[in-house]
Amino acid sequence: MEIVIIGNSAAGIGAAEAIRKNDKLSKITIISEEAYPAYSKPFIKDILSGKADFNNIIYRNEQFYEKNNINTIFGEKAVSINQNKRIIRLRNGKNIKYDKLLISTGGKTIIPPIKGLNKKQIFQFITYDDAKNIYNFIKKDLKTKKKINVAVIGGGLIGFGAALGLEKLGVNVIIIELLPYILSRIFDKDGSEIAQKIAKSKGIKIITSDSAVSVNGKGNNVRGITLKSGKKIQCDLVILAAGVTPNLEICEKTKLKTNRGIIVDKYLKTNIPEIFAAGDVTEAPDGLSGENNVVAIWPNAYRQGYFAGFNMINIKRPFPGNFVMNSIDLFGISSISGGLIDAPDKYYEILSDRNDETLNYKKIIIHKNKIVGYIFINEIDKAGIFYGLMLNKVNVKNFKQHLLKNDFGFVYTDKKFRKKLFENPA
Amino acid sequence: MKLVYPKEEVCITCRLCEIGCIVEHSKTKDILKAFLVEYPRPVSRILIEENGGLSFAQNCRHCEEPLCVEACSNNALWKDEETSIVYLDEKRCMSCWMCIGVCPFGSIKQRIDEENKIRNAVKCDLCPEREIPACVEICPNSALFFENRGVKNWR
């Protein structure tokens, strides 16, 4: 079988590894627009801060592709699919044939409707190159300027990640967030308040419930931004971090069913039988609700790719569904959240405990005695147990009262359950 | 593969397993030096969970399809092809704690030591330099076993 994978990040690698576990003979080709080996996208914030260089964040090196007999076409963009002839066309005009195709092209930056974006000092923040470009620009500018002001458009995961990197470079950072709370996808109001408090204590300025309407400048150099509220903010650099959306360019002129992302079923199959999709580009069944949604998180992307790989070589393995889990550093304070962050209605039970002095926050959301969401700030060491309980839809009725304990663990659960997990009795 | 299995009925909560683990992963491998002189002291990879009179030692299950390996975007976690041990390379760890966020057993620990600029995740490596893991060997009440009980797949 000739298998072609478009995209060389978590999902593409997950698929390749799953295929090679079971099939050493089929030809695998990975096409990637970026010319680099696969690297960790979450750690571009450490490239931005200068803490890491590319070698520290490599995900799979050259030997990986050699050892697994994977052909690579890096630095080349796949521009179209001829689904009748089963051919991918590259930007350089070359055609690549496939029997089975995986689209794992990830996400692209959402460009908000802001006037005046055609200026030099405006950056995105999703690739290694983005991070390196911002880093280089700041380092160069700091030679002539005493202080640099950076406006980060977006207070979600990307914007906050940028702020984490920038804080180490000694620049002034201001985050502009559209919603009333930053990090609203991963924290509720309480969690966000704590995160905001920590960020502000590190000198990060945050403006919420507002948005940038224009970038102002001298010629095509950035001098500042104007917000919807009328506020004018002086800045030397703007980072567009308002979110990502699936990169669907390759789907144009095909009959692939897309919504916000490429629609896939529980086998990661698209509406076209030989074409699969995995990772941030998909709209896949959710593990809790069963409805299709877009989830752009590294382990989820790898897992989608992994299950797609099995199904591509005709080993039927249903994907357990999208599960959201984020772990983010709040300037030295750990935090992990997963599943739902707010109760959708009164039929959901909430257990919570907040201590602003110790910056400890715990929140657990339960529905029909199953864990459907949780937030932990500061004490995260048992967070994975909640992920497992959520994934496996474990009934927590008998130990619900212990869930918020600092030393919560399996010792508080049913003996039979605990023994099944740890003693594997014959 | 052989894994470390607890027997909660005979666990006396002495926590010698944790001490054995710390000594094994110390520089000197000497119990007095590891606790009194060596700094920073390693973190134990096996942990006693305690609730009243009940306790048992909980450690990594070296899963067949490890969630921690899936979660690591920096290739710091992998399952060894020969031994099936799931290893964590502390030098490659970028302390994002995603592995801690997915391990359904809660087996991965944070090691944070501000003074010594240590900030990485830590997990059981089944003591590759020993015949029997340190925790199993030091347990005074036979509450830990190192055996092959067949593969199990609770993810």
Side-chain angles (χ1 to χ4, degrees):
Chain A
M1 224 195 293
E2 286 196 43
I3 297 170
V4 173
I5 297 172
I6 306 176
N8 183 36
S9 196
I13 299 293
E17 289 186 336
I19 293 166
R20 276 293 174 251
K21 253 191 183 177
N22 301 282
D23 176 349
K24 309 280 185 207
L25 297 174
S26 284
K27 183 176 179 192
I28 301 177
T29 303
I30 297 183
I31 303 170
S32 168
E33 193 177 5
E34 281 182 284
Y36 307 115
Y39 63 91
S40 164
K41 289 265 173 72
F43 298 132
I44 61 168
K45 65 170 174 59
D46 297 285
I47 299 288
L48 175 57
S49 70
K51 173 183 161 195
D53 63 31
F54 192 83
N55 288 324
N56 302 124
I57 67 165
I58 290 181
Y59 181 54
R60 294 291 185 267
N61 59 20
E62 275 160 21
Q63 285 93 295
F64 162 77
Y65 301 94
E66 272 171 41
K67 202 177 93 164
N68 286 288
N69 192 19
I70 297 171
N71 302 309
T72 61
I73 302 176
F74 291 167
E76 227 355 281
K77 190 172 176 176
V79 294
S80 66
I81 304 172
N82 183 327
Q83 61 194 72
N84 295 319
K85 292 202 180 130
R86 298 201 195 174
I87 288 172
I88 302 291
R89 166 152 272 174
L90 303 180
R91 182 169 35 203
N92 64 11
K94 253 187 158 164
N95 287 336
I96 312 284
K97 266 173 60 247
Y98 66 85
D99 293 315
K100 294 279 167 78
L101 174 68
L102 178 75
I103 302 173
S104 52
T105 48
K108 60 176 189 190
T109 303
I110 293 173
I111 309 287
I114 301 175
K115 295 202 193 86
L117 286 182
N118 56 337
K119 291 185 179 56
K120 280 197 279 189
Q121 301 85 357
I122 298 182
F123 299 89
Q124 297 182 16
F125 191 61
I126 54 172
T127 65
Y128 167 80
D129 282 341
D130 292 335
K132 205 66 189 167
N133 289 338
I134 300 170
Y135 174 84
N136 286 337
F137 177 86
I138 288 175
K139 282 293 178 184
K140 186 160 159 238
D141 225 30
L142 278 174
K143 287 187 183 154
T144 53
K145 283 204 190 104
K146 229 178 173 182
K147 217 45 170 163
I148 298 178
N149 297 309
V150 180
V152 178
I153 311 297
L157 285 166
I158 299 174
F160 199 84
L164 283 167
L166 293 167
E167 189 256 340
K168 300 273 186 276
L169 295 176
V171 301
N172 290 327
V173 180
I174 181 163
I175 294 177
I176 317 293
E177 166 57 43
L178 180 66
L179 297 175
Y181 304 105
I182 58 166
L183 298 168
S184 54
R185 268 177 176 253
I186 64 163
F187 289 146
D188 60 357
K189 176 171 173 282
D190 289 275
S192 174
E193 271 172 22
I194 296 173
Q196 204 158 313
K197 200 193 263 186
I198 297 169
K200 281 186 174 164
S201 76
K202 293 284 179 170
I204 310 287
K205 291 197 192 72
I206 298 174
I207 293 179
T208 54
S209 300
D210 210 344
S211 59
V213 293
S214 69
V215 178
N216 318 313
K218 200 169 178 190
N220 68 342
N221 286 310
V222 170
R223 284 286 180 267
I225 54 174
T226 303
L227 306 186
K228 194 165 184 193
S229 60
K231 279 197 197 84
K232 283 193 189 305
I233 295 175
Q234 190 265 316
C235 63
D236 309 289
L237 200 158
V238 174
I239 298 180
L240 300 175
V244 281
T245 194
N247 183 3
L248 302 176
E249 261 184 84
I250 191 87
C251 305
E252 287 165 24
K253 299 196 186 121
T254 67
K255 291 206 169 74
L256 281 164
K257 190 163 171 228
T258 65
N259 187 28
R260 201 175 138 222
I262 301 178
I263 309 277
V264 293
D265 64 13
K266 64 183 176 190
Y267 302 104
L268 286 314
K269 208 182 259 200
T270 66
N271 59 315
I272 298 172
E274 325 74 51
I275 304 182
F276 293 72
D280 295 7
V281 76
T282 66
E283 205 163 312
D286 183 72
L288 287 175
S289 71
E291 308 286 319
N292 280 42
N293 63 3
V294 174
V295 167
I297 290 166
W298 191 278
N300 201 68
Y302 181 93
R303 194 177 302 159
Q304 282 194 10
Y306 188 72
F307 279 82
F310 276 88
N311 292 305
M312 285 168 83
I313 55 172
N314 301 317
I315 299 174
K316 236 179 172 181
R317 266 192 92 166
F319 168 62
N322 284 337
F323 280 97
V324 172
M325 190 282 295
N326 283 287
S327 167
I328 75 155
D329 168 44
L330 302 174
F331 298 96
I333 307 285
S334 309
S335 80
I336 288 184
S337 77
L340 302 178
I341 48 175
D342 273 312
D345 60 47
K346 63 179 191 205
Y347 298 105
Y348 289 72
E349 206 180 326
I350 298 178
L351 306 172
S352 76
D353 186 20
R354 176 176 170 176
N355 183 333
D356 277 50
E357 268 177 47
T358 59
L359 292 173
N360 273 315
Y361 181 49
K362 280 193 176 127
K363 176 179 181 176
I364 299 161
I365 302 179
I366 296 169
H367 183 57
K368 294 182 182 165
N369 285 317
K370 312 227 165 84
I371 291 178
V372 293
Y374 50 91
I375 299 173
F376 296 105
I377 296 181
N378 212 351
E379 275 163 27
I380 61 157
D381 53 347
K382 302 297 174 128
I385 297 182
F386 290 84
Y387 186 69
L389 294 175
M390 178 174 73
L391 237 76
N392 292 282
K393 303 181 162 71
V394 173
N395 191 313
V396 301
K397 191 172 70 177
N398 294 341
F399 49 91
K400 215 190 297 190
Q401 69 272 35
H402 302 297
L403 292 174
L404 285 178
K405 286 201 165 88
N406 281 343
D407 63 345
F408 173 73
F410 291 96
V411 75
Y412 289 100
T413 65
D414 308 326
K415 186 170 179 170
K416 208 170 155 194
F417 176 57
R418 181 172 59 248
K419 276 177 175 283
K420 191 178 89 168
L421 292 181
F422 289 100
E423 297 189 21
N424 193 31
Chain B
M1 71 181 285
K2 282 188 180 173
L3 292 178
V4 173
Y5 290 98
K7 187 174 180 183
E8 62 183 51
E9 287 85 356
V10 297
C11 175
I12 53 173
T13 330
C14 67
R15 296 182 184 265
L16 273 171
C17 48
E18 294 179 4
I19 291 171
C21 180
I22 289 173
V23 173
E24 173 63 17
H25 292 92
S26 67
K27 289 199 187 79
T28 57
K29 304 233 206 287
D30 173 298
I31 190 167
L32 288 175
K33 288 185 183 154
F35 275 79
L36 298 176
V37 177
E38 263 187 59
Y39 192 73
R41 188 193 299 161
V43 164
S44 173
R45 296 108 201 274
I46 189 164
L47 189 73
I48 287 290
E49 282 192 12
E50 186 182 349
N51 172 21
L54 178 61
S55 64
F56 81 106
Q58 181 271 93
N59 84 330
C60 173
R61 314 319 297 153
H62 296 273
C63 304
E64 267 297 286
E65 291 182 318
L67 287 178
C68 58
V69 173
E70 256 181 32
C72 184
S73 65
N74 216 38
N75 204 20
L77 279 156
W78 71 96
K79 191 166 174 75
D80 186 279
E81 271 169 36
E82 274 177 46
T83 61
S84 293
I85 294 175
V86 177
Y87 283 107
L88 195 160
D89 182 347
E90 295 178 33
K91 289 197 203 74
R92 273 203 77 76
C93 176
M94 296 285 274
S95 57
C96 73
W97 319 128
M98 281 295 263
C99 54
I100 291 180
V102 293
C103 175
F105 302 99
S107 299
I108 305 185
K109 321 281 184 247
Q110 286 177 298
R111 186 180 185 200
I112 297 176
D113 182 329
E114 302 289 351
E115 224 186 287
N116 289 281
K117 298 215 168 78
I118 294 177
R119 198 178 175 85
N120 57 256
V122 153
K123 71 177 285 304
C124 167
D125 57 5
L126 280 183
C127 294
E129 292 170 20
R130 301 177 63 107
E131 275 219 45
I132 300 176
C135 53
V136 177
E137 192 162 325
I138 205 174
C139 175
N141 217 40
S142 304
L144 286 172
F145 295 85
F146 186 50
E147 345 183 294
N148 184 337
R149 293 187 187 175
V151 165
K152 170 185 40 106
N153 251 325
W154 195 74
R155 275 168 56 103

